Amino acid sequence: MRRIGIIGGMSAESTALYYAALNAAVRRQLGGLHSADLVLRSLDFAPIAALQAEGRWEEAGAILAAAARDLERAGAEMVLVSANTMHKVIGQVEAATRLSVLHIADATGEAITRAGLSRPGLIATAFTMEQPFYAERLRKRFGLDVVIPAADDRARVHAIIYDELCRGLVTEASRAEYVAVAARLVRGGADCVILGCTEVG
């Protein structure tokens, strides 16, 4: 079992889901009292969210790059970033370490292709939906035709993520809004939906 290094905290809610999912996967494979061998570097999300909002991505990337170096020194054998949006700076993370870095869009693209689907709708932060770093990777590497919500839907989805989900708040009203956004994506031709922000799940 390889020791996984996780750059987390963006948000803490999503990182907890990664931790639970990794341990559940190890239990399924190995049984008994086995759990994931991992190292977690959990960052304070507030300063990173401020850098995102101000478009200061290189500075945010430098924080993640430093976290990757911390994980390497702590004995990690691979790195994953437990935040879809922060894959915008994945190049800085990769350049900071000799370890392999898992790209979440590649794992997503492989799963969609394996399912025989080709036109995913994308529900995520506005950064992930509107900037090319995620959807373009899916297009170029997997030939997927990514469908993005309309502007009003993008704004509402983004607000719910930062104002509610990242703070651990899940309401039925917001759940219904997300279901409605997904339905509109399907009506627009999507054959599946990517929950491209971990908290959305």
Side-chain angles (χ1 to χ4, degrees):
M1 180 166 35
R2 294 173 73 188
R3 179 171 297 143
I4 302 168
I6 302 175
I7 302 176
M10 304 165 289
S11 68
E13 296 296 318
S14 69
T15 305
L17 294 168
Y18 270 79
Y19 183 77
L22 287 166
N23 281 297
V26 169
R27 277 195 302 274
R28 280 194 304 273
Q29 265 197 336
L30 302 179
L33 296 176
H34 288 284
S35 56
D37 183 358
L38 56 83
V39 181
L40 171 62
R41 178 70 174 86
S42 187
L43 302 171
D44 179 7
F45 188 36
I48 292 169
L51 292 172
Q52 290 176 340
E54 294 166 11
R56 294 161 62 188
W57 292 98
E58 191 169 340
E59 292 171 64
I63 295 170
L64 270 68
R69 289 190 291 271
D70 289 344
L71 292 171
E72 187 171 358
R73 285 192 292 270
E77 297 173 84
M78 64 169 294
V79 173
L80 64 84
V81 176
S82 65
N84 288 265
T85 296
M86 293 313 293
H87 280 69
K88 179 174 172 65
V89 299
I90 203 74
Q92 286 175 264
V93 175
E94 291 169 332
T97 178
R98 294 167 296 177
L99 304 177
S100 60
V101 180
L102 177 69
H103 197 297
I104 197 163
D106 292 345
T108 302
E110 288 166 10
I112 292 169
T113 303
R114 195 166 49 245
L117 302 167
S118 62
R119 201 155 193 262
L122 177 59
I123 295 177
T125 67
F127 309 116
T128 304
M129 292 185 287
E130 295 171 358
Q131 297 180 27
F133 66 92
Y134 191 94
E136 275 303 303
R137 191 170 180 110
L138 292 175
R139 287 187 185 103
K140 289 178 178 175
R141 293 200 170 205
F142 301 94
L144 301 177
D145 181 15
V146 180
V147 182
I148 306 298
D152 287 351
D153 283 346
R154 293 196 304 269
R156 185 62 185 133
V157 162
H158 182 86
I160 290 170
I161 289 168
Y162 281 84
D163 296 342
E164 299 176 24
L165 302 183
C166 287
R167 301 164 192 244
L169 304 173
V170 180
T171 70
E172 288 305 317
S174 292
R175 189 191 309 273
E177 287 202 51
Y178 274 39
V179 169
V181 170
R184 285 190 283 276
L185 287 170
V186 171
R187 285 198 298 274
D191 59 9
C192 60
V193 176
I194 298 170
L195 304 183
C197 183
T198 308
E199 293 91 344
V200 173

